[in-house]
Amino acid sequence: MGTRATADEKQHAHFGRDRQPNVFRTRDADADFPYEFYGLGPIPGDAVERHGSVTTYATAASLDANWLVDLVRNNSEDNAEPLLAIHKQTGAHLAYTHRTTWWTNVPGQEHPLEQKWSFEGEDGQRWVWQNEVIRDVDENGKTYDWEAWVCVAERTPILWTPAYTARSEKQRRSTRARNSYQARMRDYGVLDADANPVDPLDIYERDRWICQLCHGGIGSAVDWPDPWSATLDHIKPVSLAGKHEPENLQTAHWICNVRKGDAWGPGEAPSSAEEDPA
């Protein structure tokens, strides 16, 4: 699923504003995303419920675990504040700062400084500590990760929110279109041609899914290689170094684009006879 999305200073400042403790629950099965969350991770007083398993959070100092505070600060930053994740069902504990874990206290743990991730409760249920990671985008479209140490019955992979998934797909479409343009420019002897990251869907929606060559409608569910699928057409053709930017792009049926070939698009004209491919 890619490298983790580390939040920048503005995101830390935004999500670091004072807020009240909250309970983040598992959503109904028909929800568009399975879990509630907010920000970069839990704060003291929060509770995270995942499929009936509940983990709460408190500072080590608030629970008089001064030895743990000393352990962390002697081996990390002087002002580091360890957070304790506490499993409601078993009473298991895990202490951490950001992505560093310092201590666990779970059933079956023999040594006080051993870190044990998987354990069995008194009822025979198996549990595991997991750093839950949810990838999202903020209101400015920048990525970030929510991370929370939770005690669960089964691990989950890194999860992408619908907003992050849509952003990733948009980037993939933009990159594919740009790479295609640059490959065509290389065929004409132009290496590393400049190309804007244009999402074809933005052009199709701007043109209301109407072919700008034949003026017929294009079905949004029709995919290539159907001859009536949507494609990007360069108004000033690529063969004449037409730029890959929204002003030089229009929507066209694939078959109409092929028929047009290296001609100029409608509504535009060459600025001189030398530019006319004919």
Side-chain angles (χ1 to χ4, degrees), residues 210-245:
I210 295 175
C211 176
Q212 301 301 296
L213 300 177
C214 75
H215 306 293
I218 302 177
S220 59
V222 179
D223 295 326
W224 187 89
D226 190 300
W228 301 107
S229 61
T231 61
L232 286 180
D233 171 50
H234 292 81
I235 298 171
K236 180 179 179 180
V238 176
S239 61
L240 297 178
K243 294 184 178 180
H244 189 74
E245 58 186 22

Side-chain angles (χ1 to χ4, degrees), residues 54-271:
V54 178
T55 306
T56 60
Y57 303 85
T59 63
S62 70
L63 298 181
D64 294 327
N66 295 324
W67 70 270
L68 184 54
V69 175
D70 293 339
L71 171 68
V72 172
R73 293 184 177 178
N74 290 337
N75 294 276
S76 184
E77 298 85 3
D78 292 339
N79 61 348
E81 183 64 46
L83 202 63
L84 279 173
I86 307 165
H87 188 220
K88 181 178 180 180
Q89 277 80 353
T90 63
H93 291 65
L94 181 145
Y96 67 97
T97 54
H98 192 42
R99 290 174 181 160
T100 302
T101 55
W102 295 91
W103 172 73
T104 60
N105 181 17
V106 304
Q109 182 171 315
E110 298 178 357
H111 192 278
L113 292 183
E114 176 187 2
Q115 291 185 14
K116 192 168 184 179
W117 309 110
S118 178
F119 62 95
E120 185 175 297
E122 293 181 357
D123 60 355
Q125 170 70 51
R126 296 294 304 179
W127 300 98
V128 60
W129 284 110
Q130 178 196 354
N131 189 23
E132 173 185 272
V133 179
I134 297 174
R135 188 150 299 158
D136 198 11
V137 296
D138 63 19
E139 63 275 11
N140 297 315
K142 292 183 177 180
T143 63
Y144 70 93
D145 283 350
W146 150 281
E147 297 189 51
W149 280 101
V150 292
C151 196
V152 291
E154 294 184 8
R155 295 181 183 272
T156 57
I158 295 176
L159 298 173
W160 290 4
T161 66
Y164 184 88
T165 299
R167 178 184 178 277
S168 297
E169 291 175 349
K170 185 180 184 71
Q171 287 181 327
R172 186 159 48 247
R173 290 191 299 266
S174 300
T175 300
R176 184 165 57 243
R178 183 174 64 180
N179 290 347
S180 176
Y181 170 81
Q182 290 177 326
R184 292 180 64 191
M185 290 297 288
R186 285 195 294 272
D187 290 340
Y188 293 111
V190 180
L191 303 180
D192 300 324
D194 291 335
N196 291 344
V198 180
D199 180 2
L201 279 183
D202 289 342
I203 304 300
Y204 303 158
E205 291 173 0
R206 182 200 67 188
D207 294 341
R208 301 182 180 180
W209 291 87
I210 295 175
C211 176
Q212 301 301 296
L213 300 177
C214 75
H215 306 293
I218 302 177
S220 59
V222 179
D223 295 326
W224 187 89
D226 190 300
W228 301 107
S229 61
T231 61
L232 286 180
D233 171 50
H234 292 81
I235 298 171
K236 180 179 179 180
V238 176
S239 61
L240 297 178
K243 294 184 178 180
H244 189 74
E245 58 186 22
E247 295 76 15
N248 193 50
L249 291 169
Q250 61 185 1
T251 304
H253 289 115
W254 179 81
I255 188 63
C256 295
N257 204 344
V258 170
R259 288 168 178 167
K260 174 196 168 190
D262 289 338
W264 279 74
E268 299 287 342
S271 59

